[in-house]
Each structure stands twice: as C-alpha cells, then as structure tokens.
Amino acid sequence: MKLDDIKISRAIVEGYMEELLDYMDMDVAIGGGGPSGLTAGYYLARAGLKVALFERKLSIGGGMWGGGMMFNKIVVQDEGKEILDEFGVRSRPYDEGYHVADSVEATSTLCSRACQAGLKIFNLMSIEDVMIRDEGITGLVLNWSSVEMAGLHVDPLTVRAGAVIDATGHDCEIVKVVERKIGPELNTADGRIQGERSMWADVGEAALIENTREVYPNLYVAGMASNAVYGAPRMGPIFGGMLVSGRRVAEMIIEKLK
Ligand code: 48H
Ligand code: FE2
C-alpha cells in the first residue's frame, strides 16, 4: 500500500475533533489522571455514564508510577487489593492486611482498563477555571498545557458536565480555583480549604474516605485532594485509599445522577 501523508494527518485531526466536540457536554468531568481519578473514571464509565478525564501531563498516572521514593512498588490494604484484583493487577501479600504491587503494572493497567471501560482521556490539557451557575459547578475551563507552560496569553475553552471531580492530588487545583473565585463557600469547617497535614498513614487513609465528598454543589473531591481540602494527614506510598476514594466518589455520583 502506498501511504498518503495527508491522509494520516486528516485521520488524526478528524478523529480528535469528533471526540472533542462530542465531549463538549458530558455527565461527569474528572480533573487529574492519578489513581483516584482513573478509578473513578473506570467505575463511572462502567455504569454507563459519559465521562471524560482531563490530565495536564503527557502521561497518565499521577504519583503512582514512582512508588515510594522511586522504589517502584505500592502498598495497599485489603480493600485496595479487591480493587486491584478487579482491574487485574497482580499483588502479593506482605504481612497481614498489607499487599505489595508493582507500580508500573498498577498504573498502566488502571489506565488501560479505564479507557476500555469507556472513560475518555484527554491528556495535555490543564483545567484553569470552572463554570459556575446558580445550581453550582456546571463545567470546566480548559487550555492546552503547552499554553500554560509557555505563559502565552491565549483564552481557554469550556466544556459542560453534570458533575465535576477534583482528583488533582495534593494541590486540589479545582477547589482552589472555586475558593479563589467565590470565597469561603465550600462545604468545610470554615468554608475554606483546610490544608493537608503531615504524614500519618493510619489517620490519613481512614480520613480520606470520609473526606471524599461533594465540597460545593456538583463538585466532588477524591484522592489526595480530599485530605488537602478537609485538613487530614498525608499517608505516603500506600495507595489503597486512593483506589477506594475513586470508587466511592463514582458511587456517590452514580447515585445522584441516576
Ligand atoms: C489537569 C491536573 C491539574 C489541572 C493537577 O497526584 P495524583 O496521583 O492524585 P491522586 O489523588 O489520584 O493520588 C495521589 C497519590 O499519587 C499521592 O500523591 C499520594 C498517595 N501521596 C501521599 C503522600 O504522602 O505524598 O494525580 C493528580 C493528577 C496529576 O497527574 C496532575 O498532573 C493532574 O492531576 N493535575 N490536570 N489540570 N489543573 N492539576
Ligand atoms: Fe503524594
């Protein structure tokens, strides 16, 4: 077969534009492609919802690739292992209640399974703002990460969503933007972001599930962003809570949108 260079370019542009147009309106928009965002996306897509995930970086997976201090293993508890099992990620028991998995296998499998379940991932896009109406958050404001990195003055585009998940990790970037734009109106003790506390795996992991909540109408927090918003400790390279939080936020949204 004789290859046509222009046909290759057309296939890429047409394929991409078709999907981008399709996702101008969706059920759920997820910000951040770490373990919590990917897990949420998997369960939401599997429930038949139209869901897209927007990730700033080229690669999906957030902080899970590197394990702990670049030792590329992750630890999960029993509940996290159930979720790894469901994804088909292999793990081995370490001590009672502790399981160890390869972080590269875990991250790549989460990504692959979520896509195949129907999650649409847009990488290289940064969320820079939200759309707010009387009923709460109604969408995300997006720009190319390269625009952000180059500091170019280029205006963004907007997509509409029935619910938004802030899964942007330690920086809780979506909630931060909401706090900055509307003031102390969050569903926290004083309406503001409480800030992440220092390392304490036991307390941090337990709090994470409690803190996986609707923090403002139609805006949910999952993963590390939950503890940052509600003022709970970090937990280091134990990832069970991230997976359980992702599944929990999906269940909450499925219940609400159904
Ligand atoms: C688009 C964005 C934006 C933006 C950020 O950090 P993550 O892996 O998040 P979680 O919560 O799924 O997992 C946390 C885990 O990795 C971790 O850090 C743990 C367990 N830490 C414990 C400890 O003690 O340190 O992923 C967040 C993703 C990243 O890929 C970012 O690039 C992306 O979100 N992101 N994407 N627009 N504005 N901000
Ligand atoms: Fe971290």
Side-chain angles (χ1 to χ4, degrees):
M1 178 183 123
K2 196 160 171 278
L3 287 173
D4 177 350
D5 301 85
I6 307 309
K7 197 167 271 183
I8 297 167
S9 300
R10 289 193 73 96
I12 287 173
V13 174
E14 277 180 24
Y16 193 92
M17 286 306 164
E18 206 176 280
E19 282 187 326
L20 186 57
L21 283 170
D22 188 29
Y23 282 91
M24 290 280 138
D25 257 293
M26 69 198 102
D27 296 321
V28 189
I30 303 171
S36 65
L38 287 171
T39 307
Y42 168 81
Y43 285 103
L44 288 163
R46 223 190 44 172
L49 293 173
K50 183 174 178 185
V51 49
L53 184 156
F54 301 92
E55 166 57 49
R56 168 181 283 143
K57 294 191 176 150
L58 178 57
S59 68
I60 306 301
M64 198 155 78
W65 294 106
M69 213 177 123
M70 298 203 285
F71 294 91
N72 66 356
K73 297 284 173 208
I74 57 164
V75 171
V76 299
Q77 314 87 310
D78 290 339
E79 222 183 336
K81 185 199 179 282
E82 278 170 34
I83 297 178
L84 288 184
D85 285 348
E86 179 164 347
F87 277 96
V89 176
R90 296 167 302 168
S91 61
R92 58 177 177 79
Y94 178 71
D95 204 346
E96 201 183 324
Y98 295 79
H99 308 266
V100 184
D102 183 278
S103 69
V104 174
E105 178 179 339
T107 311
S108 57
T109 307
L110 248 61
C111 181
S112 157
R113 291 294 308 281
C115 290
Q116 287 175 353
L119 172 68
K120 174 62 201 167
I121 296 180
F122 293 96
N123 58 345
L124 300 166
M125 283 191 196
S126 292
I127 297 151
E128 62 167 64
D129 202 349
V130 292
M131 181 160 70
I132 306 180
R133 296 291 180 270
D134 292 342
E135 64 270 33
I137 304 298
T138 55
L140 289 177
V141 176
L142 305 164
N143 216 326
W144 298 116
S145 301
S146 49
V147 164
E148 182 187 60
M149 288 161 74
L152 299 174
H153 185 166
V154 178
D155 279 345
L157 292 174
T158 309
V159 293
R160 187 177 4 248
V164 166
I165 302 173
D166 184 340
T168 62
H170 294 272
D171 291 335
C172 57
E173 291 201 17
I174 303 176
V175 178
K176 222 172 245 172
V177 122
V178 172
E179 186 195 49
R180 192 170 74 234
K181 299 242 163 152
I182 62 163
E185 303 280 329
L186 305 174
N187 169 23
T188 62
D190 63 1
R192 299 186 183 280
I193 294 169
Q194 307 296 291
E196 183 187 299
R197 305 284 193 266
S198 289
M199 191 76 87
W200 191 353
D202 192 40
V203 173
E205 283 286 274
L208 183 58
I209 309 313
E210 288 275 294
N211 294 338
T212 301
R213 299 175 59 177
E214 188 173 12
V215 60
Y216 188 79
N218 302 335
L219 174 61
Y220 295 76
V221 274
M224 205 59 227
S226 302
N227 278 8
V229 167
Y230 286 101
R234 67 188 301 181
M235 68 295 290
I238 182 150
F239 280 80
M242 299 302 138
L243 307 176
V244 176
S245 171
R247 185 177 64 186
R248 173 94 193 95
V249 78
E251 286 163 357
M252 290 166 73
I253 293 173
I254 291 164
E255 182 61 33
K256 185 169 173 196
L257 296 186
K258 143 181 124 182

